[in-house]
Amino acid sequence: MKRFLFSLLIIASLAFSCTAPDDGPEEPKGSKLGTIDIKNISSYNYYYKDIDGVKSANLKSELHDLIDNHKVLPYTSSSFDVWDALKQTDEDPKNPNNIILLYTGRSQNKNTQDNGHNGDDVWNREHVWAKSLGFGGDPDISKPASTDIHHLRPADRSVNTARSNKYFGEGGSPHSEATGCYYTSTTWEPRDAVKGDVARMMFYMAVRYEGYNGNPDLELNDRVSRSGPNIGKLSALLEWHKQDPVDAFEIKRNQTIFEIQGNRNPFIDHPEFVEYIW
């Protein structure tokens, strides 16, 4: 009996000594065009590892070089296009059959997209940086800004029409359908829950499109001219950025766009970059 117990002890000891050591969690892997775990801040740092201009005049140009030359999607196509992308980027986390509309916050079936003949309560593709303010005409792959899903969002068709190419600002009359949105003849105020989202989309556009390679030079300002490659009001956008911090929906959306389009919105990953540029 003693010999039997002794043998068991030897076997157990050998088994324990042969167990592979625990090396801890695997280091995050990725590249500028790879998959990044959005739960791990070090993954963000990997994407931004070549950015040296924080707190300097170089930050805007360094970020531009980082997010430039993304994969350009067709606006409408029999292959994967902007319609398909938005069904992924803006999916309702509580209902995978639906998307969340930007200005109303309404959860709506993905298949109720606007085909031109199916009523007012359909969704279409809102250019948050209005097309007429820098890249007018029909959206096309020859104009990357017009199909850049970082600033394209699903919106109720009639609400999209009401917003038109108004600048972003505060005050005015309440919109009858988009609760929490207000408008004047020149400005549009989105609901509180997406004010920061709108601001960070505008910051992205002003950095991504700097006038190179045939792209417009988009700029933010406080004028309300509704002409040229400008949009505002910058003062309102800066305030909204502070009032409405980055949330989980925005983080997930940024990651999904990265997987589709190959670039990120730096102001979602690093909100502090805003104060160094503006």
Side-chain angles (χ1 to χ4, degrees):
M1 183 65 178
K2 289 182 179 179
R3 288 182 178 179
F4 176 73
L5 290 174
F6 181 73
S7 298
L8 285 177
L9 287 172
I10 292 175
I11 292 170
S13 176
L14 288 172
F16 180 81
S17 65
C18 292
T19 301
D22 182 8
D23 293 327
E26 187 177 351
E27 287 295 315
K29 297 178 181 178
S31 67
K32 292 180 183 178
L33 295 178
T35 299
I36 288 180
D37 179 5
I38 63 173
K39 296 179 181 178
N40 193 330
I41 192 64
S42 65
S43 297
Y44 287 170
N45 291 340
Y46 188 93
Y47 183 76
Y48 299 101
K49 65 182 177 61
D50 296 326
I51 300 299
D52 299 319
V54 175
K55 299 185 182 180
S56 80
N58 298 325
L59 179 59
K60 187 179 181 184
S61 61
E62 289 182 1
L63 289 176
H64 166 79
D65 291 343
L66 177 64
I67 65 179
D68 193 17
N69 296 321
H70 66 264
K71 177 182 178 182
V72 180
L73 299 179
Y75 195 60
T76 302
S77 172
S78 58
S79 60
F80 189 87
D81 61 12
V82 169
W83 287 114
D84 299 310
L86 295 185
K87 290 176 183 179
Q88 294 183 23
T89 60
D90 291 75
E91 182 178 284
D92 184 345
K94 297 180 180 179
N95 184 348
N97 296 316
N98 286 13
I99 51 171
I100 301 294
L101 305 189
L102 177 63
Y103 298 130
T104 61
R106 187 170 72 233
S107 178
Q108 183 153 322
N109 190 279
K110 293 177 179 179
N111 295 324
T112 59
Q113 68 190 55
D114 184 9
N115 63 20
H117 306 285
N118 50 347
D120 289 332
D121 286 328
V122 294
W123 67 275
N124 61 11
R125 298 162 291 187
E126 155 75 329
H127 287 80
V128 183
W129 189 297
K131 296 193 301 290
S132 62
L133 302 179
F135 43 94
D138 293 334
D140 183 80
I141 58 172
S142 65
K143 296 178 285 188
S146 69
T147 69
D148 190 331
I149 54 177
H150 273 294
H151 85 115
L152 283 162
R153 299 292 294 267
D156 178 275
R157 182 170 69 182
S158 61
V159 176
N160 190 350
T161 300
R163 188 263 157 144
S164 183
N165 67 347
K166 295 178 175 66
Y167 270 34
F168 293 107
E170 295 192 349
S173 303
H175 192 275
S176 59
E177 184 173 3
T179 303
C181 295
Y182 297 83
Y183 66 98
T184 68
S185 61
T186 56
T187 61
W188 178 265
E189 179 181 352
R191 59 193 175 97
D192 289 346
V194 295
K195 281 180 174 173
D197 306 50
V198 167
R200 286 178 283 276
M201 285 186 276
M202 298 300 91
F203 300 148
Y204 162 87
M205 293 293 283
V207 171
R208 167 63 181 86
Y209 298 97
E210 290 277 59
Y212 305 120
N213 301 319
N215 288 312
D217 184 8
L218 303 182
E219 295 293 341
L220 298 169
N221 58 41
D222 264 345
R223 299 191 304 273
V224 189
S225 62
R226 296 172 73 180
S227 64
N230 307 296
I231 205 168
K233 296 181 175 180
L234 176 58
S235 56
L237 296 172
L238 290 171
E239 189 62 31
W240 295 351
H241 173 61
K242 297 175 184 177
Q243 290 177 356
D244 176 33
V246 175
D247 60 21
F249 187 88
E250 208 175 351
I251 292 171
K252 183 177 184 298
R253 188 174 195 276
N254 194 27
Q255 174 64 16
T256 303
I257 292 173
F258 177 64
E259 293 169 357
I260 294 171
Q261 192 171 275
N263 68 346
R264 304 182 70 84
N265 183 335
F267 305 105
I268 294 174
D269 294 334
H270 286 281
E272 72 277 9
F273 284 172
V274 172
E275 64 183 281
Y276 301 139
I277 297 176
W278 290 284

